[in-house]
Structures are given as C-alpha cells and as structure tokens.
Amino acid sequence: IIHTAVITKKEKHLKFKSLLRSPLHVLILTHFKMKFFIPLALLAATSATAFVSPNLNVTPKHKSFIIPSKATTLSSSSTDNDKGTESSSTEKKEPTHAPRHDTGTPQEVSPEEMKVQAAFAEHQQNCPKPDFATDVRTLIQYNHGFAVMSTNSKVMDGYPNGSVVGFAPDEDGNPLFVFSGMSSHTQDVLKDPRCSLTVASKQFKGAADGRVNLMGKVALLPKEEKEAATATYMKKHPGAFWITFGDFNWFKMEIERISFVGGFARAGTVSPKEYKAAKPDAISEFGPHIAAHMNDDHMDSTIGMIESQVPGLNASEAVITSVDSLGMYVKVTRSPSDSEEIQQFKMRLPFPREAKDRKDVKDVIVEMTRAAAAASAAEE
C-alpha cells in the first residue's frame, strides 16, 4: 500500500492524499523539494493490509529504516486551489488538542545502505508464510487460554465491561467458557449475548506481536455438549477443578467477525467461514521450545542465516520469536553501516521447504546453518 503525503513549510503534518495498491508498504514524503521513502511498517515480516485513516493528521518524527522503491516517485495531483480548500477544511475540523506524530527530519541514506534495504524489502516480499486464517487459528489454538472479554455492562448501561477470562477453543475454533453466576460478565451476556474476545499470542510482548479480536454472541451450552466441552477445557486448563461446582455454567461463542493484527503492517480480517476451514499450524505448537533453544545456545547461527539471506544486514542480535512449518519470525537488532543508530525490527526467515514435524524442523535449521557457514567461508 502506498500512502502519498505532502509536507509543506506551512503545515508540518501529513495529509494522506491517496491509497493505492503496491507490494511495498512505503510512505512517500515530499519535504522542501527533497523526497524520501519511509516504511509504515518498519520491516514487519511481510506484506499484508495496513489500515490508515485517510483523514489522519500526524507530524513526522520517527527515524525509520528506509526502503527504496523502483517505482517512480509519486506526488499529489491536486491543484493549488484544491490543496488550499482541503487545508482550510481540515483545519476547521481538527481539534486543537489532537495528538501529533512527529518523526523529525528524514535522514540521508548512503547508496550502500539503500542496496541493503532494497535487498531486504525484496527478500521479505517473497517469503512464504501461513495465510491469515491459519495464523488466527494457530494463535487461538496455542494461546495460554486467557483473554479479555468485553461485554455490554448490565449495571452501567451503555458502558463496556472488560474481564480477563479463561477459554478453550473447540474443534471449530469457537471459544468455550465456564463462568460463575456471580461474575459480572456472566450477568452481562445473559442480558446481552453480544461481546468480543481479545486474544494475544502466547509470546506477546508489544505491538509487533500477534493478537486477534473475535466478535460474536455467547450462549449457554446445551447439556449434550457439556461432556465434550469439559474434556476440551481441562486439556487447556488441567488445574480447573472448580468447573464442576454447581454455580458454574458452560457458554460458547459463535463467531461473527474476526480482526487480526500480526504485527506492523500485517493486519486484516478473516471471515468465520475461512477461520473454521483453516487448521492450526502443527509446528507452532512446539515452536516456542525451538525458539528458546536457538536463542539461548545458537544465536550466532541465526545471525549467520540472516546474513546469508540478506547480505550486509549485519545483525548484532537475532531473537527468534516464533517458529511455524514455513519458517521463523526473528527480532533483529542492527546498526546501518553509515550510522550509529540502533534499529530493531522483525523479519521473516523462511525455510527452504515445509517442515512436517519436530525432527524435520531440526534438520532444516541444521541445513540452513551449514549453508550459511559455507557461504560465509567462501566470501572470506
């Protein structure tokens, strides 16, 4: 997605002029007749759909990892009169207290660094990865079993009520709950079954990590389904002895809408039909154990694999955050060759083939490590 913006001396905020399709997520800025490319999603794992309001007013301030584009630089096609009209209209609507997002002066980038960034952008575009529906099913399935449920409050009409609740997905991915009759969220859904469930990935630490919002209606579970629900819930929560207490009742959410954010610039919606048809990625179930082992004992190998796929990136640290059947996501720390600035971002590190089981993942990583070492030795 290309967002075209114009920055003038008079108004130092961004006006999004158009939203076009492109394989790169870049923001084209024109500032005092100088043009720079700044990515909206600093090296997020790959291209997806980014959502930005066309009326958003922000002031640039972030220092970004700059990705060049082969396309001709774009600028607004509006006439001066059109710009003046839009500017005055925006100024009337914008509240005086509106937050601004200042990214400072765009930094010059050396030709060598531009080549590295171009190679990185091309590499990330071509990386295989699970589709959105599989990502969502995987996140829900292998979550630790707790999430935030938002209900319509019974005691404060018109206000949302947020509660941390336990859940377990059934075979179709629908969340199962067992609630006490005394809980406020229980009373809420009995009055109004509409609610949402916000689920973060098991490794969630910040905005670059995955999360899902499920919206739908919650209803009491029929008696004939309680036995299967109990087995499913106890598998996720083996210590939940209290579910047999007389005050607890079973509920299930029927999903109507799904919103997914997999990190910067990886966001979108998945239909309930697509979600139900998808299957969780099997490798992701034990992926955290592989990641922990690699991070603790073999980070130098991960750095070597990164360098072999994107020469010149020169990562100083590479922390694997997740592993699936098609590859890994890695949080990279590096400094450009022409700057002392420290950059951190996530990148996709693909496998040469799909991994089928734990042993296959080990074999693939060993192959990648050896290939990277051989390439490094050949260069020396």
Side-chain angles (χ1 to χ4, degrees):
I1 297 175
I2 295 181
H3 299 275
T4 305
V6 176
I7 301 179
T8 66
K9 295 180 180 179
K10 182 178 180 181
E11 52 180 89
K12 294 185 178 179
H13 60 270
L14 299 180
K15 289 181 177 293
F16 290 97
K17 307 299 294 181
S18 61
L19 187 62
L20 307 175
R21 292 183 178 273
S22 171
L24 288 177
H25 294 278
V26 294
L27 185 63
I28 302 176
L29 305 181
T30 304
H31 184 46
F32 305 130
K33 299 182 180 180
M34 298 182 67
K35 297 175 182 177
F36 302 86
F37 295 86
I38 301 179
L40 283 175
L42 179 59
L43 311 174
T46 65
S47 177
T49 304
F51 295 95
V52 181
S53 169
N55 295 321
L56 180 65
N57 289 328
V58 290
T59 305
K61 192 153 191 176
H62 285 308
K63 292 182 178 178
S64 302
F65 187 80
I66 300 172
I67 299 180
S69 170
K70 295 180 180 178
T72 303
T73 303
L74 302 179
S75 60
S76 172
S77 60
S78 302
T79 63
D80 291 340
N81 291 335
D82 291 336
K83 293 178 182 178
T85 302
E86 290 179 11
S87 176
S88 61
S89 174
T90 304
E91 290 173 359
K92 291 178 181 178
K93 294 180 180 180
E94 181 185 6
T96 56
H97 61 278
R100 295 188 178 278
H101 191 59
D102 191 356
T103 60
T105 303
Q107 303 296 306
E108 291 283 1
V109 179
S110 69
E112 293 76 13
E113 178 65 11
M114 291 292 279
K115 289 180 181 179
V116 172
Q117 294 179 15
F120 178 88
E122 183 176 0
H123 176 270
Q124 293 296 283
Q125 291 170 37
N126 298 323
C127 286
K129 72 190 74 63
D131 58 36
F132 272 21
T134 301
D135 266 346
V136 172
R137 278 302 301 268
T138 300
L139 190 153
I140 296 294
Q141 186 68 36
Y142 303 131
N143 173 270
H144 43 53
F146 293 93
V148 175
M149 173 176 274
S150 299
T151 55
N152 293 303
S153 177
K154 178 182 178 180
V155 297
M156 292 286 287
D157 188 41
Y159 285 81
N161 180 28
S163 303
V164 176
V165 299
F167 78 96
D170 66 10
E171 60 182 9
D172 292 328
N174 295 312
L176 298 170
F177 311 97
V178 55
F179 292 154
S180 167
M182 296 185 296
S183 299
S184 61
H185 49 267
T186 306
Q187 297 301 313
D188 292 343
V189 297
L190 288 175
K191 179 183 177 183
D192 185 345
R194 296 174 299 173
C195 64
S196 74
L197 190 72
T198 301
V199 188
S201 68
K202 195 172 184 178
Q203 296 77 34
F204 187 88
K205 292 183 179 180
D209 300 313
R211 58 272 196 195
V212 176
N213 181 260
L214 308 176
M215 298 179 70
K217 294 183 176 70
V218 169
L220 285 164
L221 201 65
K223 289 183 179 180
E224 60 270 21
E225 296 182 27
K226 290 183 179 179
E227 184 177 350
T230 300
T232 298
Y233 197 90
M234 289 301 292
K235 185 177 180 180
K236 176 67 74 173
H237 303 278
F241 62 89
W242 38 264
I243 66 174
T244 58
F245 291 0
D247 181 47
F248 285 80
N249 296 285
W250 286 96
F251 294 83
K252 180 170 75 171
M253 173 187 275
E254 291 293 340
I255 300 170
E256 298 179 5
R257 180 178 171 82
I258 303 168
S259 300
F260 170 62
V261 179
F264 296 118
R266 183 164 169 77
T269 59
V270 175
S271 72
K273 183 178 180 180
E274 292 171 328
Y275 173 76
K276 184 177 180 179
K279 300 298 180 184
D281 183 272
I283 302 300
S284 296
E285 183 174 11
F286 52 83
H289 300 291
I290 296 173
H293 171 66
M294 291 293 295
N295 294 337
D296 291 343
D297 300 329
H298 304 290
M299 185 180 292
D300 55 340
S301 296
T302 306
I303 292 175
M305 287 185 280
I306 290 173
E307 187 65 23
S308 69
Q309 296 197 22
V310 187
L313 202 57
N314 297 328
S316 59
E317 185 178 65
V319 178
I320 299 173
T321 59
S322 64
V323 182
D324 55 64
S325 60
L326 300 178
M328 305 178 284
Y329 283 108
V330 185
K331 185 175 73 173
V332 177
T333 301
R334 55 100 64 172
S335 293
S337 59
D338 58 352
S339 170
E340 296 182 357
E341 180 185 6
I342 297 176
Q343 299 173 343
Q344 276 194 339
F345 50 89
K346 268 192 178 181
M347 72 172 288
R348 179 73 176 172
L349 192 61
F351 291 156
R353 64 177 186 278
E354 183 178 0
K356 302 297 185 181
D357 52 35
R358 186 188 293 264
K359 181 181 181 303
D360 203 17
V361 174
K362 178 182 178 181
D363 292 343
V364 168
I365 292 177
V366 169
E367 290 174 18
M368 294 172 66
T369 301
R370 289 175 177 172
S376 177
E379 290 181 2
E380 294 176 0

